[in-house]
């Protein structure tokens, strides 16, 4: 019993099934984080001598298994189903290991801590640190590679409560708010840094929390006071305990309010069945108020380090104060003192071990790896707190004579060996280390790293550079930007570049092509480009306002296409856009209704009707403020609440619009609880697009806050309305757009008219719109590699994923020259950046793989095609269709069959006590193309969504396609310079399986 079994798995339901299965067999699980470097994982697997690894198919090939057998929770379902359902005879005893958790090691090698069942169980039954009851609902937010996950998982499961797995691999405050609200969470365990951040950024998370525990680092007195002032009834617990004492050794429950004379938060008193001693170097107890080293005894003390007898002898001592045979003390290495009130006060470490953002780190391990670099003669690593509350790891190095290093070199080397949280955020290179009179490194004299960073900052030197710097800082949410800083290294991407270019048009009156932005992504280069264009008087004319004498406004080309399709099928809801926006807090329905009405007043597009007299062209007529509004109180609906919400939203979503007379905005406010509701909307696509969704959410929050305070929102009147844009667009078709048309016809000459993906069913004679989707979330490690490869090739995430998708679908179809469609916001004019309406356009991205290019080359081509397409995005897609496909095939979409897009969700906003969640389009079970690949990028792990036509494809086929795309990214980002014929990118076994399945 207690044999170690590795658990190498992404967070999902199967992770917990795997954990329970390991324990049910009497073994101990060894958590291995998929985001860790391969070398560290191999070291852990080798050190633990685990005979088996519970994993997933997509992770199994990343690991050098050696002699270990792989059990895949997904691919081995048939094998696992053959085993009996009865419990195995093997059973664990209280003293057997339940898990082996690896922590940082001072020698440069991680060490495994063996924790027994009794160590964990002593925390979970009637403890004084928390109220563990069957009605508790807790979020499992801590990765299982950290011991605090024990509290998240087992405090709920062992007491009949509910444990909700956090849906992301990394913490996200906005997601945490949604999880707490949606799942009625009442209990939280947060690492100290996350605890402080939530109080600073989103204290409303705690509104319905009954108890919160925190640990990992010293608890902030100021943050506890702030939380108590806002929510005085919440129970707060400060937890202390090294991994070697199984999560918690002592706890402190601060009284409310905190005593004014308190200057720090104590770590409290020992937990149940735990003892604590503050001893001098002779292992003698010290008096109250005197500092000494903290020792922990009792059932909290773990079994010790796996395979480290010398280290066990050093850290685990015979307990001289116990009469229990075999009792031991753990030497923590922490300094503490007893206070007069019986609580322990934590004073810090007496060695090089530190805590950074809740992670225990041996700085010696980082120093050892840094010193291994050929260029380094001497290395020191510190945890600095130059800004109060912001602790970070900094590397100091003296290079060998004649050799140089950069922070990027250090970062790359250490990331190949260490988890992300152990990699220094800054590096300082010195001629010599400062020394004490005794000849040791004087760590207190090592300089702050900011000095070397600030030395590279160059302030704006001209009025144009000053204006650009202000705009960059606003878009990137930075305090300042130097003229030589790279926009994309600062976190910019193609979408933020597009927004910035639109704002520069407004401020400078010049057109800056997106391609020029990528070629010169610094303020200095961009200012020179803008000044040259200004000198040449290349200023853009504004879109003019319509005059009453001009008569009814025409439809834009996009509107005309949708109007025609709606006329052919007037009962079809296909172009409805149903949206759901979660609302948190006590919403006033009257104010919410008034705010929506004000949005309809501001944006004429939302009160427009479409008419046609005889054979004349259709035109648009702006009417009075009108919207369909309904209120639904489901607070007392009980178990039927979800079904009733679905019924209301389904009725709202499927009812067709009469474009000649109906209000084109319908709204339903659904009250779910006194502090929780939904705003469900349905808007016809003819007046709305994805960008408009973010504008609506942003303005709704501002208007709600202003109406609630009896003031006017700071929303300027729009300079033009949609009818002005439609008239202007029609005028542009006469001359300027002809140049765009010439570009596109030349760019697409000779390409295949249809991308022939192998389908599971014959294509219907008339195109159908039935759809479903498959989602995949990339691991944090793979996401970071994708971002690194993108930066290395001066590409964006969009371009990198586009190249991968082109590679995959070339293999599926057997075609080497084809196109994707890609939506663009169409907001290339500053006048329409904050307008609601149908400005969306489609550009065409051509893929050419005839010469079997390397992945690097394919990324370069994706970059060129994307930039060129964005620079020629003003041609309405309908005009291109009319030119290239005058006679249409009604069995397929014209020009492209696969749509590729990037989606960056808007952040929730707050208005007083009400939170307006991210507005999201409701899935209506439809697909507008054969296949649509969407990349979700919210700054965390990337997500992939494949939306497909269910009349063409079966779900299993698209699921395999998604898996192959992830596998292709795994290979391409590890060896980005390797040629990527698909035979190499997808292994021979997968290729043959793919062919057989299709």
């Amino acid at each position: 019993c207690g044999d170690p079994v590795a658990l190498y798995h992404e967070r999902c339901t199967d992770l917990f099934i795997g954990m329970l299965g390991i324990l049910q067999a009497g073994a101990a699980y060894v958590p291995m984080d998929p985001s860790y470097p391969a070398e560290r994982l191999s070291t852990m697997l080798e050190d633990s001598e685990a005979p088996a690894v519970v994993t997933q198919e997509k992770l199994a090939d990343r690991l050098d298994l050696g002699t270990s057998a792989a059990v895949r929770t997904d691919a081995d379902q048939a094998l696992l189903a053959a085993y009996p359902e009865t419990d195995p005879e093997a059973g664990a005893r209280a003293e057997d290991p339940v898990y082996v958790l690896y922590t940082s090691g001072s020698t440069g090698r991680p060490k495994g801590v063996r924790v027994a069942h009794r160590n964990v169980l002593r925390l979970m039954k009637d403890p004084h640190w928390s109220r563990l009851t069957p009605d508790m609902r807790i979020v499992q937010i801590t990765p299982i590679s950290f011991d605090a996950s024990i509290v998240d998982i087992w405090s709920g499961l062992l007491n009949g409560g509910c444990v909700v797995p956090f849906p992301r691999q990394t913490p996200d405050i906005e997601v945490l708010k949604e999880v707490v609200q949606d799942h009625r969470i009442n209990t939280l365990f947060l690492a100290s840094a996350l605890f402080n951040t939530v109080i600073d950024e989103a204290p409303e998370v705690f509104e319905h929390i009954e108890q919160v525990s925190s640990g990992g680092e010293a608890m902030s007195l100021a943050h506890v006071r702030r939380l108590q002032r806002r929510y005085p009834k919440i129970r707060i617990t400060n937890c202390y305990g090294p991994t070697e004492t199984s999560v918690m050794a002592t706890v402190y429950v601060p009284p409310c309010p905190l005593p004014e004379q308190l200057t720090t938060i104590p770590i409290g008193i020992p937990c149940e069945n735990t003892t604590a001693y503050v001893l001098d170097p002779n292992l003698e107890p010290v008096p109250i108020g005197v500092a000494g080293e903290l020792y922990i005894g009792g059932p909290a003390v773990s079994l010790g380090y796996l395979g480290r007898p010398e280290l066990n002898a050093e850290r685990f001592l015979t307990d001289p104060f116990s009469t229990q045979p075999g009792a031991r003390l753990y030497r923590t290495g922490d300094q503490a003192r007893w206070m007069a009130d019986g609580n322990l006060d934590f004073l810090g470490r007496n060695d090089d071990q530190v805590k950074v953002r809740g992670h225990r780190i041996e700085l010696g391990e980082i120093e050892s790896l840094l010193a291994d670099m050929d260029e380094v003669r001497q290395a020191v690593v510190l945890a600095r707190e130059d800004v109060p509350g912001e602790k970070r790891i900094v590397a100091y190095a003296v290079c060998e004579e004649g050799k140089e290093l950069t922070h990027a070199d250090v970062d790359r080397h250490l990331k190949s060996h260490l988890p992300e949280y152990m990699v220094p955020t800054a590096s300082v290179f010195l001629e010599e280390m400062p020394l004490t009179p005794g000849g040791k490194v004087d760590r207190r004299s090592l300089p702050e790293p900011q000095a070397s960073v600030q030395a590279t900052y160059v302030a704006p030197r001209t009025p144009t550079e000053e204006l650009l710097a202000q705009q960059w800082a606003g878009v990137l949410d930075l305090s300042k930007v130097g003229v030589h800083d790279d926009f994309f290294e600062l976190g910019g991407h193609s979408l933020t570049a597009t927004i910035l270019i639109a704002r520069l048009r407004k401020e400078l009156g010049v057109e800056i092509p997106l391609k020029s932005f990528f070629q010169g992504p610094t303020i200095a280069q961009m200012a020179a480009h803008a000044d040259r264009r200004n000198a040449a008087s290349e200023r853009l004319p504004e879109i003019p306002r319509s005059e009453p004498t001009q008569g009814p406004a025409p439809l834009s080309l996009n509107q005309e296409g949708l109007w025609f399709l709606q006329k052919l099928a007037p009962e079809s809801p296909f172009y409805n856009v149903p949206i759901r926006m979660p609302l948190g807090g006590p919403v006033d329905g009257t104010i919410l209704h008034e705010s929506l009405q004000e949005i309809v007043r501001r944006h004429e597009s939302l009160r427009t009707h479409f008419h046609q007299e005889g054979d004349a062209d259709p035109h648009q007529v702006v009417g009075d403020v009108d919207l369909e509004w309904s209120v639904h109180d489901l607070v007392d609906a009980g178990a039927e609440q979800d079904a009733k919400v679905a019924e209301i939203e389904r009725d709202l979503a499927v009812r067709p619009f009469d474009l000649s007379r109906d209000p084109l905005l319908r709204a339903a406010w659904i009250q779910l609880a006194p502090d929780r509701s939904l705003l469900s909307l349905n808007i016809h696509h003819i007046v709305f697009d994805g960008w408009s969704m973010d504008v609506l959410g942003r303005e709704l929050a501002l208007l709600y806050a202003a109406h609630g305070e009896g003031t006017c929102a700071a929303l300027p009147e729009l300079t033009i309305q949609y009818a002005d844009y439609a008239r202007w667009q029609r005028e542009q078709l006469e001359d300027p757009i002809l140049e765009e048309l010439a570009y596109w016809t030349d760019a697409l000459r000779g390409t295949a008219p249809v991308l022939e993906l192998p389908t599971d069913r014959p294509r219907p004679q008339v195109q159908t719109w039935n759809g479903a989707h498959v989602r995949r979330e990339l691991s944090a490690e793979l996401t970071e590699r994708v971002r690194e490869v993108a930066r290395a090739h001066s590409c964006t995430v969009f371009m990198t994923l586009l190249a991968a998708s082109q590679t995959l679908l070339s293999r599926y179809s057997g075609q080497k020259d084809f196109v994707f469609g890609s939506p663009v916001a169409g907001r290339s004019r500053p006048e329409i950046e904050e307008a609601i309406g149908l400005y969306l356009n489609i550009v065409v991205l051509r893929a050419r793989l005839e010469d079997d290019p390397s992945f690097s080359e394919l990324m370069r081509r994706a970059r060129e095609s994307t930039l060129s397409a964005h620079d020629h995005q003003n041609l309405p897609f309908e005009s291109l269709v009319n030119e290239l496909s005058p006679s249409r095939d009604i069995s397929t979409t014209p020009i492209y069959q696969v749509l590729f897009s990037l989606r960056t969700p808007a952040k929730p906003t707050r208005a007083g006590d009400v939170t307006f969640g991210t507005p999201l389009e409701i899935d209506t079970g439809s697909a507008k193309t054969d296949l649509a690949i969407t990349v979700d990028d919210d700054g965390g792990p990337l997500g992939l969504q494949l939306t497909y036509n269910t009349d063409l494809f079966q779900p299993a086929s698209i699921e395999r396609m998604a898996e192959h795309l992830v596998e292709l990214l795994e290979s391409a980002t590890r060896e980005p310079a390797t040629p990527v014929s698909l035979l190499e990118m997808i292994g021979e076994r997968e290729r043959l399986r793919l062919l057989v399945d299709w």
Side-chain angles (χ1 to χ4, degrees), residues 859-880:
M859 287 177 65
R860 187 194 68 77
R861 295 180 188 181
R863 176 175 175 266
E864 289 300 313
S865 65
T866 302
L867 295 178
S868 295
H870 278 74
D871 284 341
H872 297 85
Q873 65 175 280
N874 291 326
L875 178 72
F877 182 69
E878 284 295 322
S879 296
L880 184 61

Side-chain angles (χ1 to χ4, degrees), residues 572-585:
S572 171
F574 184 65
Y575 284 105
N576 293 2
V577 183
I579 300 167
R580 174 190 297 142
M581 183 186 297
L583 305 175

Side-chain angles (χ1 to χ4, degrees), residues 176-177 180-181 184-188 190 198-199 202-212 227 230-235 583-587 673-676 910-915:
L176 179 61
K177 282 200 295 189
V180 168
Q181 176 178 290
R184 305 188 304 282
I185 301 301
N186 56 27
T187 302
L188 287 174
L190 303 175
V198 174
I199 293 173
E204 63 274 13
V205 166
F206 296 104
E207 185 168 359
H208 297 290
I209 298 298
E210 298 172 6
Q211 51 188 354
V212 57
L227 184 59
R230 182 157 182 162
Y231 301 114
K233 293 184 179 180
I234 193 171
R235 176 187 171 92
L583 305 175
V587 176
D675 59 352
R676 188 165 58 91
R910 188 164 183 82
D913 292 332
V914 176
T915 300

Side-chain angles (χ1 to χ4, degrees), residues 660-876:
S660 66
R661 59 184 179 85
D662 285 349
L664 298 187
L665 171 60
R666 296 177 183 145
W669 179 46
I670 308 172
Q671 189 78 30
L672 304 176
D675 59 352
R676 188 165 58 91
S677 58
L678 290 174
L679 178 62
S680 294
L681 307 172
N682 191 12
I683 312 173
H684 198 281
H685 194 19
I686 201 168
V687 295
F688 202 74
D689 58 15
W691 187 293
S692 300
M693 192 184 308
D694 295 342
V695 174
L696 186 147
R698 200 161 50 242
E699 291 193 354
L700 184 59
L702 288 170
L703 288 166
Y704 183 91
H707 285 200
E709 296 170 358
T711 61
C712 293
L715 290 173
E717 287 294 324
L718 300 171
T719 58
I720 66 165
Q721 292 288 343
Y722 192 85
D724 306 320
Y725 165 81
R727 194 185 302 278
W728 171 83
Q729 185 195 56
R730 293 284 181 171
E731 294 170 354
Q732 294 297 302
L733 290 177
E734 296 176 4
D735 290 314
I737 294 298
L738 293 179
E739 298 178 10
E740 299 272 301
L741 184 59
Y743 164 80
W744 283 110
T745 53
D746 182 64
L748 300 178
R749 184 175 290 113
T751 190
V754 176
L755 176 57
E756 295 285 1
L757 291 175
T759 60
D760 297 306
R761 303 181 182 92
R763 183 180 296 277
Q765 292 184 349
V766 178
Q767 186 180 16
T768 61
W769 313 107
N770 301 316
H773 66 262
V774 168
R775 288 196 59 83
R776 290 290 183 275
E777 188 174 85
L778 274 57
S779 67
E781 178 192 13
L782 178 55
T783 294
E784 182 55 33
R785 290 209 311 271
V786 168
R787 298 191 194 280
E788 288 177 0
V789 168
R791 287 192 293 267
H793 291 80
S794 299
C795 287
T796 62
V797 167
F798 174 93
M799 298 167 185
T800 306
L801 271 293
L802 173 64
S805 300
Q806 290 173 337
T807 304
L808 183 70
L809 296 195
S810 173
R811 182 65 186 87
Y812 271 44
S813 65
Q815 295 170 245
K816 299 289 188 177
D817 185 357
F818 54 90
V819 299
F820 284 0
S822 183
V824 290
R827 309 288 174 134
S828 58
R829 308 284 309 194
E831 303 97 314
I832 57 179
E833 186 177 329
E834 295 300 321
I836 290 176
L838 180 58
Y839 299 95
L840 176 79
N841 196 20
I842 300 292
V843 295
V844 183
L845 305 175
R846 187 171 183 176
R848 307 201 68 161
L849 297 89
E850 298 97 331
D851 55 345
D852 196 20
S854 68
F855 193 69
S856 297
E857 171 61 20
L858 195 56
M859 287 177 65
R860 187 194 68 77
R861 295 180 188 181
R863 176 175 175 266
E864 289 300 313
S865 65
T866 302
L867 295 178
S868 295
H870 278 74
D871 284 341
H872 297 85
Q873 65 175 280
N874 291 326
L875 178 72

Side-chain angles (χ1 to χ4, degrees), residues 182-201:
D182 294 345
H183 296 279
R184 305 188 304 282
I185 301 301
N186 56 27
T187 302
L188 287 174
F189 186 98
L190 303 175
S192 301
L194 184 57
F195 175 78
N196 296 342
T197 301
V198 174
I199 293 173
D200 289 337
E201 303 296 332

Side-chain angles (χ1 to χ4, degrees), residues 493-527:
H493 48 74
S494 56
L495 178 59
T496 48
T498 301
I499 296 171
L500 187 57
I501 287 172
R503 294 184 181 181
L504 295 180
R505 286 192 190 100
K506 182 177 181 180
E507 296 292 337
L508 301 176
V510 296
E511 176 73 43
I512 300 177
L514 188 60
K515 182 181 292 187
S516 299
F517 204 108
F518 273 75
Q519 293 170 347
T522 68
I523 287 176
Q525 294 167 306
M526 198 60 56

